[in-house]
Amino acid sequence: MSTEQRAYRAYIGSFTEAGGAGITVADVDRDTGALTPRYATDEVANPSYLALSPGGDVLYAVSETDEGAAAAFRTGDDPARPLTLLGAPVPVHGAAPTHLALAAGHLLTANYGSGSVSALPVDDDGGLGEPTAVLRHEGSGPNRERQGEPHAHEVLPDPSGGWLLGVDLGADAVWVYEPAGPRAHRKVRLRAGSGPRHLAFHPRGDRAYVVNELDPTVTVCRWDAASGTLEPLGETRVVPPGTDTATFPSEAAVSPDGRFVWVASRGHDSVATLALDTPGDRMELVTTTPCGGHWPRDLALDPSGSRLYVANERSGEVTWFALDPTTGVPSRDGSLEAPAASCVIFG
């Protein structure tokens, strides 16, 4: 059933090994943004990242374990069981998958532990098959503790649907793939030691903002969908000058009108509001706002684009914020207890 036919839901992923409930399904109050939990399942270990099918009828989850797996759930309107597991989790042939996305009839996983991207076929019912391809990254970075080998952290399609991008923290690089296969198209090197983790696209689709985990910055990139070219343009820090707290940015979201970017940072435990110029080539740090907890691993805009939700992993809650339409600055509205929360998506 579409979100137009019912109040939309939030799906919250978590680390079961740290006391998380697994996947929590919550109703979202359209007027206040408040979350009301309705159901939880721990059928999959460490479902740290989630993704919905385009129609919202299937929910996909990674199992971020040493063995690495992915799972599919049928969504439904039965309040007693809104998620039904579609078969056993399928091994991804990669360790510690941290992210997943759908493209070209496959579920793609970014496998942090093995520095690889796996492609699992999706059948007509939304279920998953064994991987048909595992693409292994190469390279390392100057941070010996974190960058001794590749660590793929995110994989996602570009807005045109013509390319896949794999963000690798260990190799200081973004891989561009052709979806068919998938096949490697090019490797884009970013600043050594920056530790790229995730990226978010401008709503126009011609700019990308790469969140760097090992240095609290965002790299602004020009994206050419015609050629599959990602060109770094510059960097902006996401914490104020003089900040001496160890800071590890995690995720970014871009406003639907392309005026603002928000970045969550662990350690500093903040959400940075960054203002974009009209082309999207330059960003300026407006302010940072406390994230409402500790260790914000993920953030996401609700479908209206007027509220921001932050998954605070170590303090165990999802906090939501109203966004000032003029300044973009978040204002805390409430929170929901969610132990070891790792991501939140809507559908």
Side-chain angles (χ1 to χ4, degrees):
M1 184 177 289
S2 70
T3 56
E4 288 76 21
Q5 294 172 295
R6 58 162 169 77
Y8 61 84
R9 294 170 174 164
Y11 298 92
I12 302 166
S14 67
F15 288 97
T16 54
E17 67 183 14
I23 301 170
T24 298
V25 182
D27 290 337
V28 184
D29 187 303
R30 290 178 180 268
D31 295 325
T32 67
L35 301 179
T36 302
R38 298 301 186 192
Y39 177 80
T41 176
D42 61 359
E43 293 173 280
V44 173
N46 293 345
S48 64
Y49 209 86
L50 310 172
L52 278 167
S53 63
D57 56 338
V58 181
L59 178 75
Y60 296 95
V62 297
S63 179
E64 190 177 334
T65 61
D66 290 342
E67 297 79 14
F73 293 83
R74 175 73 58 196
T75 65
D77 292 316
D78 181 354
R81 193 172 180 82
L83 294 177
T84 302
L85 187 63
L86 298 177
V90 177
V92 299
H93 299 176
T98 53
H99 192 269
L100 76 173
L102 290 160
H106 288 76
L107 183 75
L108 291 305
T109 66
N111 309 315
Y112 182 86
S114 52
S116 61
V117 171
S118 300
L120 288 71
V122 178
D123 65 29
D124 292 342
D125 293 327
L128 298 173
E130 292 287 330
T132 55
V134 178
L135 305 172
R136 302 193 182 280
H137 292 176
E138 297 178 351
S140 59
N143 186 321
R144 293 186 178 183
E145 182 179 350
R146 299 291 308 279
Q147 296 185 304
E149 58 189 359
H151 291 300
H153 209 295
E154 182 183 45
V155 60
L156 75 166
D158 84 311
S160 77
W163 306 95
L164 298 170
L165 290 89
V167 186
D168 196 298
L169 185 151
D172 286 324
V174 177
W175 267 259
V176 180
Y177 295 108
E178 299 174 17
R183 292 187 297 269
H185 176 65
R186 60 166 43 96
K187 176 183 178 181
V188 180
R189 297 183 184 277
L190 300 182
R191 179 173 54 82
S194 58
R197 175 185 172 97
H198 281 197
L199 69 77
F201 282 98
H202 191 283
R204 278 198 320 266
D206 60 355
R207 299 293 185 272
Y209 306 101
V210 182
V211 176
N212 299 313
E213 177 172 336
L214 302 184
D215 187 32
T217 56
V218 173
T219 302
V220 179
C221 300
R222 181 179 293 114
W223 170 247
D224 181 6
S227 61
T229 302
L230 187 72
E231 177 190 358
L233 301 176
E235 293 183 2
T236 299
R237 290 182 65 81
V238 299
V239 290
T243 298
D244 56 8
T245 302
T247 301
F248 307 96
S250 58
E251 183 61 287
V254 186
S255 64
D257 61 8
R259 295 171 56 219
F260 301 105
V261 176
W262 296 278
V263 177
S265 289
R266 296 158 297 172
H268 195 252
D269 288 345
S270 64
V271 175
T273 301
L274 301 123
L276 291 171
D277 65 2
T278 300
D281 291 341
R282 297 177 183 273
M283 56 172 53
E284 178 182 357
L285 178 62
V286 176
T287 191
T288 59
T289 302
C291 67
H294 179 38
W295 215 251
R297 185 178 178 88
D298 187 46
L299 57 71
L301 290 168
D302 76 344
S304 74
S306 64
R307 290 189 180 88
L308 191 69
Y309 291 73
V310 179
N312 292 307
E313 179 186 349
R314 294 187 180 175
S315 53
E317 71 271 307
V318 173
T319 304
W320 54 92
F321 299 80
L323 297 170
D324 187 296
T326 302
T327 66
V329 175
S331 176
R332 185 181 184 277
D333 265 357
S335 65
L336 170 70
E337 182 179 357
S342 55
C343 84
V344 56
I345 65 171
F346 297 93

